[in-house]
Amino acid sequence: FRLAKRGWIMTEVRNLYVNEAYRNRGYGTKLLQAAERFVVSPIVVAVVRKDNTYAKRIYDGGLMWHSLNGYFVSPLGNECILFYKILK
């Protein structure tokens, strides 16, 4: 994974990837939890392609991430969902 700070208020999780051979074993959730430990801003976000079922499952899981209703179209033309989490 890679973190990209977007000002003092927000950090974006980028490039979180689990090799297909290791999916459905909880590694994506563990990577996301590890990423959250490095975030110092109060809000963390992630943009996920609407057709990426594996990533959506990670963010929709029990880690208290929320998504905005609907989706948006990225500059590259992909339909995406914005997930966010407010950290304490």
Side-chain angles (χ1 to χ4, degrees):
F1 65 86
R2 191 178 75 148
L3 297 175
K5 193 157 169 80
R6 304 284 183 222
W8 68 270
I9 196 164
M10 183 173 57
T11 301
E12 180 182 1
V13 176
R14 304 189 80 193
N15 303 49
L16 185 112
Y17 177 79
V18 176
N19 185 294
E20 288 184 32
Y22 296 98
R23 290 183 183 164
N24 299 312
R25 297 182 188 181
Y27 293 121
T29 299
K30 289 181 191 321
L31 281 171
L32 185 55
Q33 289 171 323
E36 288 177 12
R37 286 195 291 273
F38 288 98
V39 174
V40 294
S41 61
I43 300 171
V44 60
V45 298
V47 175
V48 175
R49 285 180 36 174
K50 187 178 172 186
D51 61 351
N52 189 338
T53 56
Y54 293 106
K56 288 192 307 187
R57 262 197 348 233
I58 293 168
Y59 292 101
D60 278 337
L63 298 178
M64 302 300 296
W65 281 75
H66 308 281
S67 63
L68 299 178
N69 291 333
Y71 63 91
F72 67 95
V73 178
S74 75
L76 298 176
N78 298 314
E79 295 178 340
C80 297
I81 301 169
L82 177 69
F83 286 91
Y84 69 95
K85 182 174 183 177
I86 298 173
L87 302 174
K88 296 182 181 183

